[in-house]
Amino acid sequence: MTETNPAAAAAEHPDAQDSAAPGREIPGAPSSVPPPVAEPVEPGAPVPPKPDQRGPQTYSPTGQKTGIAQKEVAQGGDRLTTAQGTRLYDTDHSLKAGPRGPSLLQDHHLREKITHFDHERIPERAVHARGAAAHGVFQGYGTASGICKAAFLGEGVRTPVFVRFSTVLGSRGSADTVRDTRGFATKFYTDQGVFDLVGNNIPVFFIQDAVKFPDIVHAAKPHPDREIPQAQSAHDTFWDFVSLHTEATHHTLWNMSDRGIPRSFRMMEGFGIHTFRLVNAEGASTLVKFHWKPRLGVHSQVWEEAQLTAGMDPDFHRRDLADAIEAGALPQWELGVQTFPDTEDQTFAGIDLLDPTKIVPEELAPVKPIGLMTLDKNPSNYFAETEQVAFHPGNLVPGIDVTNDPLLQGRLFSYLDTQISRLGGPNFPQLPINRTHTPVNDMLRDGMHQTAVHRGVAPYRPNSLDGGCPFTAGADAGAYIEFPEPLAATAKVRDAAATFDDHFSQARLFWLSMTPTEREHIIAAYTFELAKCREPAIRERVVGTLANIDGELCGQVAAGLGLPAARPAAALDDPDPSPALSQLGRRWPVDGRTIGIVIAEGQDLSGVRTVRQAILEAGMVPLVIAARAGTRDADGDPVAVQRTFATARSIEFDAILVAGAPAPASDAYGARDAKADDELARAGVDSRILLLLTEAYRHGKALGAWADGADALEAVGIATDSPGVVAGDQAAPVLERVKELLGGHRVWDRFTPSV
Ligand code: HEM
């Protein structure tokens, strides 16, 4: 059976012509066709999903391709029924003894509806509770074939993937743009079983041994008495722990850098963190670290912008991901590996490969690309897919094996264990999003939510009653066989290798690799977070730790906190910086970036039409901002307004074009909209663009203006010859210059570093 093409189905829908209405090419419409104003009174054809959406591919609970169209595993039909499929005539009134009487226990519909609702929630993940996900495809380059026998890495092999990005600390309803590490978990549905690469956007971790995971998480989560603060590290228990537990220093420094506040999931690197082992067809082992390299480069928000975003649009990252895919700006990452010989001591250039608080600089071991991932569809149901997906670092395929990194070893236990609780029993691999695309014959039976109907009488081995099946496979028949790593004769100990005691040298390497602007951001982040701590002793202790990274860092943070600078415990080394760690200084594609266009009422819109079209053609999103909603020039070539001065805030835009000087609208005064500035109103410009433009300027965003737009910029105090401000007579050349500025992400010249 073939899958319904949602785009074609949407086009055939009776209301489809309305999807060409002005502004419909802007992503984010809730449904594939616009709804009528009046409530429908006759059942019509069910509205198909949006063309950018897809559910999990249809495999049986036992991993066999069903060929069933995705729409047939979703609810369908145009009539309301009970869960048993019986049609209902009323769902607005419970069954009562008379119109004013008590409700009757026999009302099976009331009980079924309310009971199901009462059980709609499941426990959120213990960590990484807030996430957003997308479907995609991974295509191998074949470049890893010499070191890894995993078939999905072969040249041209295409493998479906599902990727979930997340924050670590916050609850499911928390904001996206908090300062935190981001999860980057990828499920590869390979022909040899599921492989999960469960990584983060930061290449090191807080702890070296999994036994401390509950400690770091308890310290970083909200305080257990008041349950505050939500989704952030700027509080006493976090800094209490990381200052006493100095192996967290390196990861904490990454968190305080711009990596802790990404601009977009699409603009993050991903890292497997641990050293893994790849095994080739001859059985030879190579140690590797996995890297995801985003095609769009690595970019961040600035801190004030991140804080404003958390209030203005707490769904900023999840919206950005979904909108980009819907708009056709498909996010891409190259998967790469750093490779290391599998020596007895498992070190490389003196770096312990089993210590997850250490990186290997890319200048010492370059990242070799092995495949390309493209995310091309949004999920069609958040709960069924993004919430119920279950990643596990132990989901491995032949050719990929683990090492003895003590953090990884503990993870191999934790994920399966926690998912039994979160997903209500041991059968969660049967949930549609988790189903492998290979036949399953595991002899695991029964349990809560068993959805397979197994046959046979002998789910045990050896047996003769089921013909001895299932038989085991050998390596030649694709079995997963652990690498026979030799283990030295040793004693049981609760201890770690001496190399694990170095907690500061790589933190210093990171600091020295930052540009002056990035260092300013790190100083500001530490100063902010520690100033939010209540206890002076904790601040002082952290300042003591910073002295072991760098004197300038320690001195500046101490000054901001009103504390004396500390001295390092030992003389600091000066390792060669790793330029690959810095985010600044290169140019990147601008796909999916959002450009705001401010217009005035009654102005000539020809320039606006030109840049709007050019922005769409460049794979970016133009959002027209005006005093009131609706459409301008509705009778000619209409221009739809997506944001009003009341709803617009700078955080949503990567750059802003000012096409006119809007006169004050009727709601442009402080009592109606606090963004209004009555002083500026006298200058004849709607005062709410003051905040819009000055905030964008402060956050290093490119600004462009033509026609009266230049007057508007001057009216809010932004000189048109300032860095990153482009003014001209014609719209098109202004846009071209703004696009060039966007390629560098921000106008870095506006930030003057002191260090
Ligand atoms: C390198 C270190 C680690 C990385 C990169 C990492 C990454 C992740 C990611 C990306 C997720 C979210 C998966 C999703 O999107 O559903 C996650 C969830 C989780 N992690 Fe880790 N983690 C690390 C260490 C640990 C350790 C040491 C433990 C425990 C010993 C642990 C326990 C968990 C648990 C319990 C979940 C929730 C899983 C679920 O409910 O599905 N993690 N981790």
Side-chain angles (χ1 to χ4, degrees), residues 260-389:
I261 43 173
R263 156 66 181 81
S264 158
F265 294 138
R266 300 178 291 131
M267 300 166 204
M268 297 189 320
E269 281 179 298
F271 301 93
I273 300 180
H274 316 283
T275 300
F276 287 82
R277 173 181 277 111
L278 299 186
V279 181
N280 68 11
E282 288 73 47
S285 155
T286 306
L287 300 183
V288 299
K289 283 186 181 286
F290 287 107
H291 294 243
W292 288 112
K293 295 280 185 191
R295 194 176 69 82
L296 301 182
V298 186
H299 305 297
S300 298
Q301 294 195 303
V302 292
W303 177 230
E304 186 193 50
E305 184 187 15
Q307 289 178 291
L308 288 171
T309 309
M312 300 300 300
D313 185 5
D315 306 304
F316 186 73
H317 284 153
R318 125 182 338 192
R319 186 189 311 286
D320 170 273
L321 179 68
D323 279 358
I325 293 173
E326 187 181 337
L330 303 182
Q332 288 187 315
W333 288 260
E334 242 180 359
L335 181 64
V337 283
Q338 289 179 295
T339 58
F340 319 105
D342 188 359
T343 56
E344 199 180 339
D345 62 359
Q346 299 188 322
T347 62
F348 182 82
I351 299 164
D352 193 331
L353 296 173
L354 299 192
D355 178 352
T357 65
K358 304 283 181 349
I359 61 161
V360 176
E362 292 183 27
E363 292 76 12
L364 296 182
V367 178
K368 301 169 191 164
I370 61 172
L372 178 71
M373 178 167 77
T374 307
L375 298 184
D376 57 5
K377 290 287 173 199
N378 285 310
S380 54
N381 184 283
Y382 184 90
F383 181 82
E385 302 172 57
T386 312
E387 194 61 12
Q388 290 196 315
V389 69

Side-chain angles (χ1 to χ4, degrees), residues 124-129 131 164-167 182-185 197-200 202 204-205 207 209-211 213-214 271-274 356 386-387 389-391 393 405-408 410-415 418-419 422-423:
E124 64 176 37
R125 288 168 177 79
V127 282
H128 297 264
R164 183 173 181 273
F165 303 102
S166 47
T167 50
R182 300 298 186 286
F184 189 142
L197 184 52
V198 196
N200 284 342
I202 288 179
V204 289
F205 206 64
I207 50 173
D209 188 316
V211 72
F213 193 69
F271 301 93
I273 300 180
H274 316 283
T386 312
E387 194 61 12
V389 69
F391 296 93
D405 172 339
L407 188 69
L408 176 57
R411 294 180 74 195
L412 295 173
F413 166 73
S414 181
Y415 289 71
T418 195
Q419 286 152 2
R422 180 168 72 83
L423 296 166

Side-chain angles (χ1 to χ4, degrees), residues 75-76 79-91 107-110 112-113:
Q75 292 198 343
R79 301 288 169 170
L80 183 71
T81 72
T82 65
Q84 309 302 321
T86 306
R87 288 185 170 190
L88 287 161
Y89 75 96
D90 183 306
T91 189
D107 185 349
H108 62 93
H109 174 50
L110 169 74
E112 181 186 74
K113 189 172 174 180

Side-chain angles (χ1 to χ4, degrees), residues 56-79:
Q57 294 185 8
T58 44
Y59 281 75
S60 76
T62 53
Q64 294 165 80
K65 198 163 179 45
T66 63
I68 297 173
Q70 285 182 17
K71 70 171 184 176
E72 286 168 29
V73 296
Q75 292 198 343
D78 57 15
R79 301 288 169 170

